[in-house]
Amino acid sequence: MKIYLDGKFVAAADAKISVFDHGLLYGDGIFEGIRLYQGNVFRLEEHLERLWYSAKAILLNIPISRPEMAAAVCEACRQNGLRDGYIRLLVTRGIGDLGLSPWLCPKPSVVIIADKIVLYPPEYYLTGLSIATVPTRRVGPAAVPPMIKSLNYLNNILAKIEARQAGALEAIMLNEAGFVAECTGDNIFIVHKGRLLTPASQQGALKGITRETIFSIAQQLGIPLEEHELTRYDLWNADECFLTGTGAEVIPVVKLDGREIGDGKPGPVTGRVLTEFRQRVLTEGTRI
Ligand code: PXG
């Protein structure tokens, strides 16, 4: 496997980051997870836009231009002979000393890993997931704006552990006010009386690229969609529920906190959205 590291493609064994990189020492950096479908990078420009917004928010100067980054992402796929895969793009603050000061890190590092994707087993897309609300809260906007896709995922990781301890594959994370924010690596949607509802980013939801795609699909299919405050009660009494993310795509949820959602089976609206999503990933995208 060839990894893009600061302008060069190197063997995986040689793709090394310094122990003084602030991405490692402090989680000081940002990332994107992007999919390649049949030789097309899905929503590449949207992912790069979010990366650049995250960089601006943390005062990080990405050392290459957006067109150069786009070219490097495509080249990473080609170098690894991939047609379908998962691209992890990260920009760290770079090498500094043992203090927090980012201004002592002169050069951010850029890493692009293009690899095969490990997905949820296909049966979950047919039978749906059982998930659980966990105690660990989504980081609040007063601490770190949830729009920043930073290398600090510790609270999401704690939430994932808590989900597993509860026998669930994913966690619902609430915000500090107790409203539903999102899952550990996915956004959440419910269907209630024919309407699609999802928490707004102010509630602690990452502005997911897949989530944005669902907005466009809902419009095309004529399904009303609203950003709405959601409580656990709203989720328990939803007709349908599904999660969205670059890795998971669109995955139905049939059980939450021991309660069946709707009739306990993936619902028809989820099915229509999933079918359209699968169509779009094959027809939209940037050719590598
Ligand atoms: N919320 C969070 C906190 C995320 O990290 C999403 C929502 C969905 O966003 P996109 O843009 O992908 O639709 C994410 C992104 C993993 C993994 O290994 C998951 C994400 C990123 C990287 C790895 O599960 N999810």
Side-chain angles (χ1 to χ4, degrees), residues 31 50 86 88 138 149 153 156 182 184-187 206 208-210 244-246:
F31 78 103
R50 187 170 65 185
Y86 184 75
R88 174 61 57 90
R138 180 75 163 105
K149 204 159 160 56
Y153 260 54
N156 298 48
E182 60 177 348
T184 64
D186 303 297
N187 291 113
L206 184 82
I209 307 292
T210 321
T244 67
T246 296

Side-chain angles (χ1 to χ4, degrees), residues 4 25 30 35 49 62 70 116 150 178 185 188 210 221 233 266:
Y4 175 98
L25 287 176
I30 51 176
R35 287 287 286 277
E49 179 179 72
I62 299 178
K116 298 218 160 27
S150 86
I188 186 160
T210 321
L221 298 180
Y233 174 88

Side-chain angles (χ1 to χ4, degrees), residues 178-247:
F179 291 104
V180 174
E182 60 177 348
C183 295
T184 64
D186 303 297
N187 291 113
I188 186 160
F189 288 78
I190 61 167
V191 181
H192 188 66
K193 299 194 173 169
R195 285 188 311 158
L196 270 168
L197 304 172
T198 192
S201 65
Q202 301 90 282
Q203 300 293 338
L206 184 82
K207 283 188 172 172
I209 307 292
T210 321
R211 176 181 181 272
E212 297 289 335
T213 307
I214 304 305
F215 285 24
S216 154
I217 289 174
Q219 193 171 34
Q220 184 194 320
L221 298 180
I223 306 167
L225 186 152
E226 269 175 59
E227 291 185 329
H228 209 281
E229 273 180 355
L230 294 175
T231 62
R232 298 173 74 201
Y233 174 88
D234 297 323
L235 266 47
W236 297 332
N237 288 299
D239 302 319
E240 300 179 34
C241 177
F242 60 86
L243 312 182
T244 67
T246 296

Side-chain angles (χ1 to χ4, degrees), residues 79-159:
Q79 290 267 337
N80 290 290
L82 290 171
R83 303 296 297 159
D84 291 276
Y86 184 75
I87 303 146
R88 174 61 57 90
L89 175 49
L90 44 137
V91 187
T92 73
R93 188 71 71 179
I95 297 172
D97 64 15
L98 289 180
L100 262 79
S101 319
W103 50 89
L104 298 179
C105 305
K107 194 173 157 288
S109 258
V110 179
V111 177
I112 305 172
I113 307 167
D115 200 356
K116 298 218 160 27
I117 172 103
V118 183
L119 300 164
Y120 276 121
E123 59 265 27
Y124 286 119
Y125 291 84
L126 300 170
T127 56
L129 293 179
S130 173
I131 65 174
T133 313
V134 297
T136 295
R137 299 290 168 111
R138 180 75 163 105
V139 69
V144 181
M147 297 81 169
I148 301 173
K149 204 159 160 56
S150 86
L151 294 180
N152 279 275
Y153 260 54
L154 200 49
N155 64 329
N156 298 48
I157 287 164
L158 292 179

